[in-house]
């Protein structure tokens, strides 16, 4: 399949879904099918020739194709979940348009073009986040993320300019722009203040796009900007930023009682792990980090959809409202258990396999391993107490049963994380398929 | 007209007026401030652009101003009704506080543009970029309303584009940044309307 056609599919899909955006039962499955089609065809597109867009090249490399598949599958699940739980009518076309710009940013031949594409994708994220009582939060998120993407755009320009006429601009503009932009976009502590509140918003697609998808794309663009950010400075910033993010997320995950809020903090702790990998080794570390962030994206998608399903069936995803919920939503809560294990880094899930590889790459002192284990306890406690509470004898009064089809989809998604944990070479196999 | 005809003092006065209007009101008068910013930006970048591209940029600027003016009018209407109905209007920290922040940004920008000139840019573009970026970012922090934050964000984006389009004025970049600009303005308008609806619902409830 030609790359031009494949890149146009999300935008055409968004235009087609616009007239039927209020018909949730039609728009949600159609959007999910479009995402599935994009995921299936991504490895084929990686074999097609690069295209030229007004003098700039676009190409999907075989190494990046699996990550597009992961994101597209995660979004397909969110769309399918949206057929059952309430989402804004703008989510179906908005998420497709945003995904189109995110993929274009991944395919862009230059970091400058990628920065511009990511900036427009941020606007799409804002439309996916629209919900009652979220206008201030959405505006804050848009401003922070735009600062990050525009910094990347500037850093990308300095990469190009350093090869042409402005070599001086690298140190003066490029270095702070690359460092600040990456820290903001990835959500590293203390720049990640925008990320945890998104977990609590009743818009899982918007949260997924902002917290997971943008992070995966930014980490994949990292290698070309790492030279710009300084060979000595970048590893230090990433190591300490990653460690603080890990600790902040782990402690934060101990406190909330709602599943969606715990997921927000657990995702932040997991991001800290990925940042540690990026800081440890310039090439292997970035690959490992991208892999870890891709597994995190799948787990977050499953958990946020599960949280919305539980809210719909039991009135809330609060630990007190879910007492005895397992008998009415066994599939969803099993999916929560498996995805939560992966996000927390427990064996035998995919999150554990990638964390283990990162631990081997980064840690040299024994006390790091202890800190690592303690950092896992926060998300484990936050997620486990919800599952344990659901094993109570009496289902909540007035509750309803889970939709079986959605429970099966959630379980299938999390079983994939189990398979990827047992067979950790899944991504390498997919990359081989695409090349 | 070319921007090089203006002295640094004249440019600083124009930038001061453009940002002060946003800082003091964050309502309809702020759109006039944004219009001055757009005019300055187009005067700086205009000589580097092809004529059709420049017309396109003017059209984007007019569309953005129109959208923001409509949003500001809607907000002003609601504020008037709230005052008439005896309900306190949306709380702002006050025009004086905004002016103070703007003066701080101007002071820093005037120092920075001499000490740290941006490579490959003229002194006027550097001053305009620093001034608008700093003023926009400061106002984002102190503005409580979504519309005010959005106008401050547009101010900062104007500063960024003033410098960036001077450095790279390829067609694709201009098109993407114009799309971003319109997208941001639409987001601000939608979120501002949503904030007003929230307030109305809260009062009824």
């Amino acid at each position: 399949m030609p790359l031009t056609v494949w890149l146009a599919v999300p935008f055409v899909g968004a235009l087609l879904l616009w007239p039927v955006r209020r018909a949730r039962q039609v728009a949600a499955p159609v959007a999910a099918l479009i995402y599935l089609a994009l995921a299936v065809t991504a490895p084929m597109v990686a074999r097609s020739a690069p295209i030229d867009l007004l003098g700039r090249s676009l190409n999907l490399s075989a190494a990046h194709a699996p990550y597009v598949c992961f994101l597209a599958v995660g979004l397909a699940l969110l769309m399918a979940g949206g057929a059952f739980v309430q989402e804004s009518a703008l989510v179906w076309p908005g998420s497709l348009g945003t995904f189109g710009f995110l993929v274009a940013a991944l395919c862009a031949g230059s970091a400058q073009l990628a920065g511009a594409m990511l900036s427009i994708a941020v606007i799409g994220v804002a439309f996916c986040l629209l919900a009652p009582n979220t206008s201030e939060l959405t505006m804050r998120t848009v401003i922070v993320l735009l600062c990050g993407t525009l910094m990347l755009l500037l850093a990308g320009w300095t990469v190009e300019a350093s090869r042409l006429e402005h070599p001086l601009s690298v140190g003066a503009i490029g270095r702070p722009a690359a460092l600040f932009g990456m820290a903001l976009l990835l959500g590293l502590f203390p720049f990640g203040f925008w990320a945890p509140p998104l977990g609590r918003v009743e818009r899982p697609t918007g949260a997924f796009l902002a917290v997971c998808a943008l992070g995966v794309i930014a980490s994949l663009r990292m290698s070309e900007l790492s030279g710009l950010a300084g060979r000595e400075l970048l590893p230090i910033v990433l190591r300490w930023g990653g460690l603080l993010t890990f600790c902040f997320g782990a402690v934060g995950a101990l406190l909330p009682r709602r599943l969606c809020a715990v997921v927000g903090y657990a995702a932040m702790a997991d991001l800290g792990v990925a940042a540690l990998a990026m800081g440890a080794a310039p090439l292997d570390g970035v690959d490992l980090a991208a892999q870890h962030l891709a597994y995190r994206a799948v787990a977050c998608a499953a958990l946020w959809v599960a949280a919305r399903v539980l809210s719909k069936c039991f009135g809330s995803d609060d630990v007190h409202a879910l007492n005895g919920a397992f008998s009415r939503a066994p599939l969803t809560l099993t999916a929560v258990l498996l995805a939560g294990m992966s996000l927390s880094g427990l064996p035998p899930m995919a999150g554990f396999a990638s964390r283990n590889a990162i631990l081997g790459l980064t840690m040299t002192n024994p006390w790091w391993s202890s800190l690592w284990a303690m950092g896992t306890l926060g998300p484990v406690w936050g997620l486990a107490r919800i599952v344990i509470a659901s094993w109570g004898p009496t289902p909540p009064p007035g509750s309803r049963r889970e939709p079986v089809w959605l429970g099966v989809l959630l379980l299938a998604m999390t079983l994939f994380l189990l398979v990827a944990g047992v067979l950790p070479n899944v991504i390498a196999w997919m990359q081989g398929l695409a090349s | 007209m070319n921007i090089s005809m203006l002295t640094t003092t004249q440019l600083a006065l124009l930038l001061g007026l453009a940002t002060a209007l946003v800082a003091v009101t964050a309502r309809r008068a702020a759109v006039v401030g944004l219009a001055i910013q757009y005019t300055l930006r187009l005067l700086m970048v205009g000589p580097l652009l092809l004529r059709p591209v420049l017309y396109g940029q003017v059209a984007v600027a007019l569309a953005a101003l129109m959208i923001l003016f409509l949003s500001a009018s809607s907000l002003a209407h609601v504020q008037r009704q709230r005052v008439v109905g005896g309900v306190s209007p949306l709380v702002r920290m006050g025009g004086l506080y905004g002016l103070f922040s703007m003066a701080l940004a101007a002071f820093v920008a005037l120092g920075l543009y001499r000490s740290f000139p941006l490579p490959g840019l003229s002194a006027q573009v550097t001053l305009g970029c620093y001034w608008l970026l700093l003023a926009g970012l400061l106002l984002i922090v102190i503005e409580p309303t979504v519309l005010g934050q959005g106008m401050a964000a547009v101010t900062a984006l104007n500063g960024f584009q003033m410098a960036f389009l001077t450095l790279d004025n390829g067609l694709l970049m201009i098109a993407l940044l114009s799309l971003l600009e319109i997208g941001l303005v639409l987001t601000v308008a939608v979120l501002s309307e949503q904030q007003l609806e929230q307030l109305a619902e809260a009062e009824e409830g």
Side-chain angles (χ1 to χ4, degrees), chain A residues 302-330:
Chain A
L303 285 165
W304 271 322
V305 171
R308 297 291 294 135
V309 170
L310 294 174
S311 289
K312 182 101 172 178
C313 293
F314 303 102
S316 167
D317 58 344
D318 190 287
V319 66
H320 296 308
L322 297 176
N323 199 4
F326 194 84
S327 59
R328 301 226 166 187

Side-chain angles (χ1 to χ4, degrees), chain B residues 42-95:
Chain B
L42 290 172
L43 284 173
M44 287 186 190
V45 182
L48 304 168
L49 304 179
L50 294 171
R51 192 57 65 87
V53 178
L54 181 61
Y55 290 154
Q57 286 275 291
V58 173
V60 168
L62 286 175
L65 290 171
M66 187 74 82
I67 294 167
L68 287 173
F69 183 77
L70 289 174
S71 282
S73 300
S74 174
L75 181 63
H77 179 69
V78 171
Q79 295 284 60
R80 209 167 32 243
Q81 282 182 332
R82 289 169 74 90
V83 173
V84 171
V87 185
S88 63
L90 276 170
V91 180
R92 289 188 74 232
M93 292 176 94

Side-chain angles (χ1 to χ4, degrees), chain A residues 247-384:
Chain A
C247 295
F248 180 71
V251 173
L254 287 167
L255 306 173
R257 292 185 310 183
R258 287 185 63 197
L259 174 59
C260 57
V262 176
V263 177
Y265 282 104
M268 200 173 181
D270 222 28
L271 169 74
V273 175
L276 280 168
M278 284 187 239
L283 291 173
D284 294 348
V286 170
D287 285 348
L288 267 179
Q291 186 178 332
H292 190 68
L293 288 176
Y295 291 146
R296 163 185 178 253
V298 173
C300 283
L303 285 165
W304 271 322
V305 171
R308 297 291 294 135
V309 170
L310 294 174
S311 289
K312 182 101 172 178
C313 293
F314 303 102
S316 167
D317 58 344
D318 190 287
V319 66
H320 296 308
L322 297 176
N323 199 4
F326 194 84
S327 59
R328 301 226 166 187
L331 296 172
T332 305
L333 282 160
T334 309
V336 169
L337 180 68
L338 292 176
M341 282 169 70
S342 183
L343 195 62
S344 313
L346 292 183
M349 306 303 289
F352 171 75
S354 54
R355 272 193 192 213
N356 210 26
I358 291 169
L359 183 67
L361 193 73
T362 52
M363 306 309 178
T364 48
N365 293 330
W367 72 270
W368 279 77
S369 304
S370 315
L371 185 74
W372 193 265
M374 283 196 294
T376 304
L377 287 178
V380 167
W381 164 249
L383 292 162

Side-chain angles (χ1 to χ4, degrees), chain A residues 52-231:
Chain A
D52 184 80
L53 182 66
L54 293 170
R56 309 264 178 174
S57 73
L58 294 165
N59 179 34
L60 180 64
S61 74
H64 291 168
Y67 301 110
V68 175
C69 294
F70 276 86
L71 293 181
V73 170
L75 281 161
L77 180 70
L78 285 156
M79 295 295 107
F84 177 68
V85 297
Q86 191 64 43
E87 274 274 21
S88 141
L90 287 170
V91 159
W92 328 114
S95 73
L96 273 167
T98 308
F99 185 70
F101 280 110
L102 286 174
V103 174
L106 187 61
C107 295
S110 70
Q112 184 185 358
L113 185 57
M117 296 288 188
L118 284 176
S119 302
I120 301 170
V122 168
I123 301 296
V125 170
F127 283 98
C128 294
L129 278 172
L130 282 180
N133 302 320
T134 60
S135 50
E136 289 92 351
L137 175 69
T138 306
M139 194 69 224
R140 269 201 309 272
T141 308
V142 166
I143 287 169
V144 171
L145 290 178
L146 265 186
C147 284
T149 53
L150 290 175
M151 287 294 115
L152 274 200
L153 171 63
L154 199 58
W157 172 81
T158 57
V159 170
E160 287 187 17
S162 63
R163 293 183 196 135
L164 301 171
E165 70 267 41
H166 298 298
L168 286 175
S169 55
V170 173
I173 304 173
R175 188 161 298 154
L179 280 173
F180 193 55
M182 274 293 171
L184 276 175
L185 268 192
L186 286 172
L188 285 181
F189 186 86
F191 299 108
F193 58 88
W194 56 271
L198 292 186
R200 289 191 291 271
V201 177
E202 312 279 291
R203 294 288 179 259
T205 309
F208 176 83
L209 285 167
V211 176
C212 299
L214 267 173
V216 171
I217 305 290
S219 69
L220 290 172
R221 306 284 333 184
M222 181 91 183
S223 50
E224 61 199 296
L225 296 174
S226 59
L228 192 70
R231 299 262 176 230

Side-chain angles (χ1 to χ4, degrees), chain B residues 24-148:
Chain B
V24 172
T25 67
R27 299 282 185 274
R28 278 173 294 188
V31 179
V32 179
L34 289 175
I36 298 171
Q37 291 173 25
Y38 276 115
T39 310
L40 284 173
R41 196 186 92 195
L42 290 172
L43 284 173
M44 287 186 190
V45 182
L48 304 168
L49 304 179
L50 294 171
R51 192 57 65 87
V53 178
L54 181 61
Y55 290 154
Q57 286 275 291
V58 173
V60 168
L62 286 175
L65 290 171
M66 187 74 82
I67 294 167
L68 287 173
F69 183 77
L70 289 174
S71 282
S73 300
S74 174
L75 181 63
H77 179 69
V78 171
Q79 295 284 60
R80 209 167 32 243
Q81 282 182 332
R82 289 169 74 90
V83 173
V84 171
V87 185
S88 63
L90 276 170
V91 180
R92 289 188 74 232
M93 292 176 94
L96 196 63
Y97 196 77
L99 264 184
F100 175 74
S101 305
M102 198 280 296
L104 184 68
F107 183 69
V108 176
L110 282 167
L112 275 180
Y113 101 100
R114 285 185 209 280
S115 319
F116 299 99
L118 295 171
L121 294 175
S122 68
Q124 282 159 321
V125 174
T126 306
L127 175 62
C129 169
Y130 277 140
W131 190 305
L132 294 182
L133 261 179
L134 288 169
L137 292 176
L138 261 179
L139 290 175
I140 284 171
V141 176
I142 64 163
E143 271 296 335
T145 64
V146 167
L147 185 65

